[in-house]
Amino acid sequence: MAAPVRRLCHVAFHVPAGQPLARDLQRFFGFRPLAVREADGWRQLALRSGDAVFLVNEGAGPGEPLYSLDPHHAVPGATNLCFDVADVGAAARALAALGCNVQVPPVTVQDAQGAATYAVVGSPAGNLSLTLLERPGFCGPFLPGFRPVSSVPGPGWVTHVDHLTLACPRSSSPKIMRWFHDCLGFHHLPLSPGEDPELGLEVAAGSGRGGLRLTALQAPTGSAVPTLVLAESLPGSLRGRDQVEQFLAQNGGPGLQHVGLYTPNIMEATERVAGAGGQLLTPPEAYYQQPGKEKQILAAGHEPRLLARHGVLLDGDEGKFLLQVFTKSLFAEDTFFLELIQRQGATGFGQGNIRALWQSVQEHAARVCEA
């Protein structure tokens, strides 16, 4: 591996001036301002919930924003992942030797709180760039060049990023997986016994509905990096574009489709998000009437009526369960959404839930088209 990553530092977004992403993250999802930088035509606001940090780069300055790269992209979205590495200079040289595009060579930024060195490299996932960061001894709240923002403590709905999901064109996952393995040290994480990493896990959504092919990647042992999930659509949908194809079309190619945020209490988190006006996807009504679903929910210690009211999905068995709820896109375009996830011993992503999500998104898209 050329540049083994050690920790996810933040997820960065690029949005036009006046786009309400920063406001919505605070209002609907309990994020709180951490630090801000306003210079060179950019307003860069870091927001935090638990260990999850989002950096919203708003505007379009004449130069590049600190710690990221302006993709000059037509639509807003999540365009950068920042990872901690041991030695940025060595990592950039090793990646360049492998033929990677080092878009921003190593740069050192310093202020009264200390220094940080970063470089930005391109990825095989469309407009998604990767920032490699080294900040030994830095003692500020975020990064050099930013000033702290005073804010009241957040409600604590989210503790950390559970996973990152990239939407990919069909048959591209093996190539993307090899890049992350060779360049950053990720390795295949089977989602089912005996899974072929070249094929991933196929989750068919039913006759004529298509489905998903998922390939999960895990960072090097000992790192604190969320699971990376590659998602492709399966052929067979009879309703036009599915949500992966819709993302690829509106994003202009592959990219970061959603971030899974871990919450220790998904019922409370979902109630707070909905109460604040956040828009959540509603599972199909038949989901909670599936044979054995009520028994499964009760076995996990939950009330079926409450899960149905909040739109929370549950999957699992043998004492290991997974609960999930998904938001609608945070932008006018279908280029990014959030997932709230709670794990009760389960480590996968819930095949039954994936099918239900797929169907609910497809039904929502069909209603929008008919309106």
Side-chain angles (χ1 to χ4, degrees):
M1 69 188 80
V5 293
R6 304 192 300 188
R7 189 170 72 86
L8 175 69
C9 301
H10 62 259
V11 179
F13 300 79
H14 278 75
V15 300
Q19 205 284 335
L21 175 63
R23 182 204 67 189
D24 291 349
L25 289 172
Q26 297 173 71
R27 179 185 296 181
F28 302 141
F29 303 107
F31 279 75
R32 289 294 180 266
L34 177 65
V36 67
R37 174 181 179 266
E38 294 177 293
D40 306 321
W42 295 97
R43 183 176 191 269
Q44 297 179 265
L45 178 65
L47 304 109
R48 182 175 207 150
S49 182
D51 288 335
V53 178
F54 286 173
L55 175 61
V56 179
N57 297 315
E58 183 178 335
E64 305 296 352
L66 278 182
Y67 307 104
S68 192
L69 185 77
D70 180 8
H72 305 292
H73 205 49
V75 294
T79 57
N80 178 272
L81 298 175
C82 180
F83 295 108
D84 175 74
V85 297
D87 186 328
V88 168
R93 290 191 295 273
L95 290 172
L98 288 175
C100 299
N101 179 17
V102 180
Q103 298 168 316
V104 178
V107 177
T108 297
V109 183
Q110 189 164 356
D111 64 14
Q113 304 299 318
T117 301
Y118 75 95
V120 183
V121 299
S123 85
N127 68 314
L128 182 69
S129 63
L130 307 174
T131 295
L132 307 179
L133 179 69
E134 177 188 354
R135 49 180 172 182
F138 179 72
C139 58
F142 181 54
L143 288 169
F146 284 72
R147 58 178 175 83
V149 175
S150 298
S151 63
V152 297
W157 307 336
V158 170
T159 59
H160 61 276
V161 174
D162 180 87
H163 61 275
L164 306 157
T165 297
L166 305 183
C168 309
R170 289 177 189 164
S171 303
S172 68
S173 290
K175 179 181 178 180
I176 295 175
M177 179 180 65
R178 284 191 292 271
W179 189 94
F180 277 94
H181 173 271
D182 295 344
C183 296
L184 302 182
F186 283 80
H187 59 272
H188 176 237
L189 175 65
L191 296 176
S192 63
E195 178 185 315
D196 185 336
E198 293 289 316
L199 300 176
L201 172 67
E202 286 193 7
V203 183
S207 177
R209 290 182 178 269
L212 281 176
R213 183 190 311 279
L214 300 178
T215 306
L217 305 176
Q218 197 169 48
T221 303
S223 67
V225 176
T227 301
L228 185 65
V229 182
L230 310 180
E232 300 181 11
S233 62
L234 296 173
S237 174
L238 300 181
R239 292 188 176 184
R241 288 176 180 160
D242 57 50
Q243 63 262 39
V244 171
E245 292 170 335
Q246 179 80 352
F247 174 93
L248 295 174
Q250 297 207 10
N251 191 61
L256 184 62
Q257 181 204 39
H258 78 268
V259 171
L261 298 172
Y262 188 86
T263 175
N265 189 332
I266 198 168
M267 302 304 293
E268 178 187 5
T270 302
E271 186 172 348
R272 294 288 187 88
V273 170
Q279 294 188 310
L280 303 171
L281 281 176
T282 302
E285 293 183 6
Y287 175 81
Y288 300 99
Q289 278 75 52
Q290 296 177 84
K293 178 56 69 175
E294 181 176 351
K295 181 179 179 181
Q296 183 187 41
I297 293 173
L298 292 171
H302 295 277
E303 170 57 48
R305 178 181 56 83
L306 290 178
L307 258 67
R309 188 176 80 189
H310 293 295
V312 176
L313 308 173
L314 182 143
D315 204 2
D317 54 28
E318 298 180 355
K320 296 181 179 181
F321 299 97
L322 177 75
L323 296 96
Q324 298 163 289
V325 67
F326 301 85
T327 75
K328 296 179 182 179
S329 178
L330 272 60
F331 303 115
E333 302 82 2
D334 290 327
T335 51
F336 184 78
F337 63 88
L338 292 172
E339 170 186 347
L340 297 176
I341 182 169
Q342 179 184 345
R343 297 183 182 275
Q344 296 179 196
T347 58
F349 293 95
Q351 296 186 38
N353 287 355
I354 293 169
R355 293 188 185 94
L357 169 66
W358 190 266
Q359 293 169 14
S360 64
V361 173
Q362 294 304 97
E363 291 175 7
H364 171 71
R367 288 194 296 269
V368 170
C369 290
E370 292 168 0

